[in-house]
Amino acid sequence: MALRFFNTYSREIEEFEPGDLSGRPIRMYTCGPTVYSRAHIGNFRAYIFEDLLQRHLELRGYKVHRVMNITDVEDKTIRGAREAGIPLQKFTEQFKEAFFEDAHTLRIKRADEYPAATDQRYIDRMIEMISALISKGLAYQADDKSVYFRINKFPDYGKLAHFDLTQLQSTGRVKHDEYDKEHIGDFALWKAWDEADGDVKWASPWGPGRPGWHIECSAMSMALLGDQIDIHCGGVDNIFPHHEAEIAQSEGVTGKTFVRYWLHCAHLLVDGQKMAKSLGNFYTVPDVLAKGYTGRELRYALLRVHYRVPLNFTWEGMNEARESLGRIDEWLARLKQIATNGNAQHPTPNAQRPTAAFEEALDDDLNISAALGFLFESIRQTNRAMDQKEMDAASASAWLDWWKRINTLLDLEADTDVAIPHEVEQLAQQREKARREKNWKRSDELRERISALGWEVRDTKDGPKLTRGAGTA
Ligand SMILES: [Zn+2]
């Protein structure tokens, strides 16, 4: 079955036809973090969606070249550095590091390149593009010395967001700093230096200043992926004005279609509300880990809902994630045992075998909810077969092979490189003894002691199993 994606540009599900790929990979650009504070879990929802998309394309045999930019100069980074009283680069460096640390915790595959906007070679590229736009009449320098894109000269402006430009016009010029522009919707390509910028400035034909946020992505994308790219992703809040502006800038310069498929990830809500620091429901990855959850559990919680559906993050949802992963762990442990020893006392010739349903669900606009539904239905059925001793070693191996393949997408297997500490093992044995003696109080106490050591004991049909639990990533 062919891959299909919902293209924001056409607002339709389209078959994925990247054209002639001989000698080249899929070109994928994903808008990265603005490093003025630690990214929140809503940002990471989008990065996990992009991770799943890349992994699925690779499973389907495509090679992917993915670029994720780091926005390290714009209004918020400059303000943050000024308030902290440190140079811009020093200020942004800490959040860059935090971003990579969190991405690693969430098992997000690294992009091939992470260009930073302040790299002189991209600043040069931005200046080159702005000059080209000016010479084509698509940009102008205003009285405030800043350079703006002239949206009235780009008829397609608004097409990605399905935005009516006349609405934009009717709002009139409201803000003081908008007076210099020809049209309220004209956006800055180059922002003239002012005192508040401190020593953050670069020389340009229009005087000292710094690039606008939108041109950064157009320039880095063109520098690393060429004039035309296959897939561009981001969160829905990037659609307007950021991605609309990227199209206008890139196509304004090249005259070619900038992006073939636009994919956008829906919002993350917390307890049904928009996440906001003022509401006290704003969480970073370390905030979630501090509550005793693992990176693997958070990955699952952020991954499990279809990317175009808003995801409601709750602590109950985190517990469900833990439970779901526990089911997968137990299932794999049973399969491994049977694959080695076999348990088929009554092997059934038509025992359920893995099918392609999981992958086909992902072909359908990355429908992870349906794919996971299929996974858990398979777990339920094969567990029943194992309970009834109907699973032979070959079938168990086939399921393990299937898991290995789909886990290249999910990346949800428990860390196996961690040995169970002797102390934890002993406590688990004591607890098992207490349970056999039906001393529930002692059994619960021992469970808590095990949990305090960062481990979790689960009672399965094959006896107690220890997994890394609270407080470990
Ligand atoms: Zn961008």
Side-chain angles (χ1 to χ4, degrees), residues 344 346-352 385 389-392 395:
H346 331 282
T348 48
N350 44 6
Q352 211 216 350
K389 304 211 181 296
E390 292 174 350
M391 174 83 72
D392 59 23
S395 303

Side-chain angles (χ1 to χ4, degrees), residues 29 31-32 69 213 217 232 242-243 246:
Y29 188 89
C31 287
N69 69 294
W213 172 37
C217 279
H232 195 314
H242 185 52
H243 289 164
E246 280 188 42

